[in-house]
Amino acid sequence: MQRQVALIKQSLFDQGYLDEQFMELEELQDDANPNFVEEVATLYFKDSARLINNIEQALERGSFDFNRLDNYMHQFKGSSTSIGASKVKTECTMFREYCRAGNAEGCLRTFKQLKKEHATLRKKLEQYFQLARQAGPKEIARRPK
Amino acid sequence: MTVEQDCVALDQFPVGMRVLAVDDDQTCLRILESLLHRCQYHVTTTNQAQKALELLRENKNKFDLVISDVDMPDMDGFKLLELVGLEMDLPVIMLSAHSDPKYVMKGVTHGACDYLLKPVRIEELKNIWQHVVRSRFDKNRGSNNGDKKDGSGNEGVANSDQNNGRANRKRKDQYNEDEDEERDDNDDPSSQKKPRVVWTVELHKKFVAAVNQLGFEKAMPKKILDLMNVEKLTRENVASHLQKFRLYLKRISGNQQAIMANSDLHFLQMSNGLDGFHHRPIPAGSGQFHGGAAAAAGMRPFPPNGILGRLNTPSGIGGVRSLSSSPSSGMFLQNPTDLGKFHHVSSLPLNHIDGGNILQGLPMPLEFDQLQTNNNKSIIPGNSMAAFPSFPSTQQSSLPNNNSHLVLQGHPQASPSAFPGHQINKRLEHWSNAVSSSSSTLPPPPAQNSNSIMSHQFDDGSSSYSIPFCDSTIPLAPAMDTNPRAFYRTTDLDSNANVQPGGVYYDSLQMRQSGNYGPTTDALLSSNAKEGFIVGQQKLQSGFMGAEAGSLDDIVNSTMKQEQSQGDLSEGDLGYGGFSSLRTCL
């Protein structure tokens, strides 16, 4: 079980869903904060879901206020970076570039992609956390440094 | 952080250092909190800048350091940074996902002691305590001569902190007296804590006077404090105010400290009005500045002509008087054409101006900007105070007056008695502009002219900052009576502003100001400040007059010449020697 967990995690890294930042977060997890990473991930998804909604609405309106979109995306990028959501972050960056270029079409496309990545990551992390919980805290502690 | 340190009491700085973390992003905030805990700091978090400010204001000694995100919905991080720096003087670290050097620069100019990029790493946070030590160290060094600093080194941190703490204890106003607090009970320092000092106009005037007396370059907080002789004011208060003042000056003019005086008003307003968070009322006039919380922008008008600064000086006042006397001043006013530009200009009842001494009590210069631009105009102190309509900034250009007699008087618009504390500088400029433009036309009915010209109004404060004086139609009559002296508030700000503070006027103005504005009136400040600014007025006067006299030439010239002699106006903007004539007018 634990090996499974480790494998999943490893694959997440390998596939580029997560980056070193995630590892840093795990470092912060300790006895005082046993579920730190999961907590943070939960927060992140909650926040980002809201942001995605906002962006969606803004895009649907069709007015394409690039400034505003850029702002949203900046926030999104910030939190994604903090949690180590690497692919999501990349999409954010692309989206912002399209914004700056005023490329509405590009924005829409990227946004779709971003949502996809976001959803995928969410699923995978949920899976991961579930397994990790089942495996017990030992797994985390044992994570090789 | 070492585990052992954990067991040690809070005395072991940096362990236990109290950090306030502000970030609207919950995810980042949570992570930051956790990281800080890992560094063994004591963390308080909030996701709202307003809440953070409240927490800080509630007890200044509660925190050692603030870490704030840059992009926050309820308040700009930089703004928060400035506020914290001004009000609490705590070290603030900015945090952002923006790595753009522009932001970093902004952080620096707004006073951040560090700028971190997200995602934050724990290694970076491990060292942030240095900022706390450093700032304490600097403070200590400022006030005592480093007797506290013995260990300032890092490893000595705990020691130095303790030492500092002790030393701090000696100083009443120590903010950041954490160590003390940690050692003692928290109540101790708190009870000693002084309430935040509000730099009122009066106080600021004293401050400026002291600084001027000492010489700007040599002004030291301790000496300033002594000169000011205000009880309950501590060296630290003065020191931080001086620092801000210097920054302010730099911002507005680069090197012209002379303007100090002028800038006072602006400065005060600026700092007061910095972000609106300040409790200090922002003078109406400060509106102009205010805007300048972006001070740099706002301040523009202050050209370093410090000259203006000293309104208070009796000499200035006296000088003004002389200006007013000259009837020819009426000429200055003329800008009628220009005045026309200002909107209300015509409204200025120049009644008083018999000779067109426009400037008497003329409303103070228009907005800063305008004044700025018009530097050349000489401000003609209108004795009769024509209420100058405040020239809207637009005016400036219009006034290319050859006469440039500036009639500056900042007669307060609306309230005859009170000068709207408009930025004098502005007015002056405008005024000058206006004046200059109108120079060609001799002042139209004297009464009118004067008014129109300078309608810079001093805003009374609060209301309209840049309100064109015009509105105030400053009844010249009343104004005149009251301020015979041309109010020249010529906000020294604009060097041009030859604003000659009508010495007399000035007084009355001041008086009025005080009366009118009340404590809040920054505007009052402005007026007062103006006076202060007018330091150079006299000089200005001389300066102005000479230059501007366009149509007014003969009269003006004669007067101006007198001024010229006095003239230091070299300020440049005004450069008129004519100003002297102004004085006479007064």
Side-chain angles (χ1 to χ4, degrees), chain B residues 3 27 76 83 92 99 118 137 153 182 347 409 464 538 578 582:
Chain B
V3 173
T27 314
D76 182 28
L83 281 178
V92 182
S99 58
K118 285 184 184 174
F137 184 84
E182 289 175 17
S347 55
Q409 311 328 306
S464 34
Q538 304 189 340
L582 281 177

Side-chain angles (χ1 to χ4, degrees), chain A residues 21 24-25 27-30 33 36 39-40 43-44 47 74-75 78-79 81-83 96, chain B residues 24-28 30-31 34-35 37-38 71 73 96-98 118-123:
Chain A
Q21 183 62 22
E24 296 262 351
L25 294 184
E27 293 266 345
L28 287 176
Q29 184 155 306
D30 55 15
N33 270 326
F36 178 68
E39 275 176 35
V40 175
L43 267 177
Y44 168 70
D47 245 3
H74 174 73
Q75 281 181 49
S79 38
T81 313
S82 299
I83 198 181
R96 293 186 79 201
Chain B
D24 63 312
D25 185 334
Q26 293 282 12
T27 314
C28 297
R30 183 82 181 79
I31 297 177
S34 177
L35 285 170
H37 272 135
R38 196 42 86 84
D71 313 289
S96 178
H98 285 296
K118 285 184 184 174
V120 181
R121 291 166 319 162
I122 195 164
E123 294 80 23

Side-chain angles (χ1 to χ4, degrees), chain B residues 90-145:
Chain B
L90 284 175
V92 182
I93 294 180
M94 300 309 292
L95 196 58
S96 178
H98 285 296
S99 58
D100 190 347
K102 246 189 330 165
Y103 281 85
V104 181
M105 176 58 103
K106 207 171 171 194
V108 170
T109 55
H110 284 71
C113 58
D114 205 352
Y115 190 104
L116 301 177
L117 291 182
K118 285 184 184 174
V120 181
R121 291 166 319 162
I122 195 164
E123 294 80 23
E124 293 176 338
L125 291 177
K126 284 200 176 138
N127 283 335
I128 58 177
W129 57 263
Q130 63 176 287
H131 301 293
V132 177
V133 173
R134 183 178 299 118
S135 78
R136 290 207 199 144
F137 184 84
D138 287 343
K139 287 191 191 98
N140 280 347
R141 187 187 0 212
S143 62
N144 299 316
N145 305 322

Side-chain angles (χ1 to χ4, degrees), chain B residues 10 22 59-60 67 79-80 119 131 145 206-207 226 235 239 298 370 389 391 398 456 476 482 488-489 531 541 586:
Chain B
L10 297 168
V22 190
N59 184 353
K60 297 223 178 88
I67 299 185
K79 209 177 212 204
L80 176 64
H131 301 293
N145 305 322
K206 278 198 182 140
F207 170 79
D226 292 340
R235 196 208 67 84
Q370 307 182 342
F391 299 115
S398 56
H456 280 292
L476 283 183
T482 50
Y488 309 117
R489 275 295 174 111
E531 300 182 339
Q541 299 179 343
L586 294 180

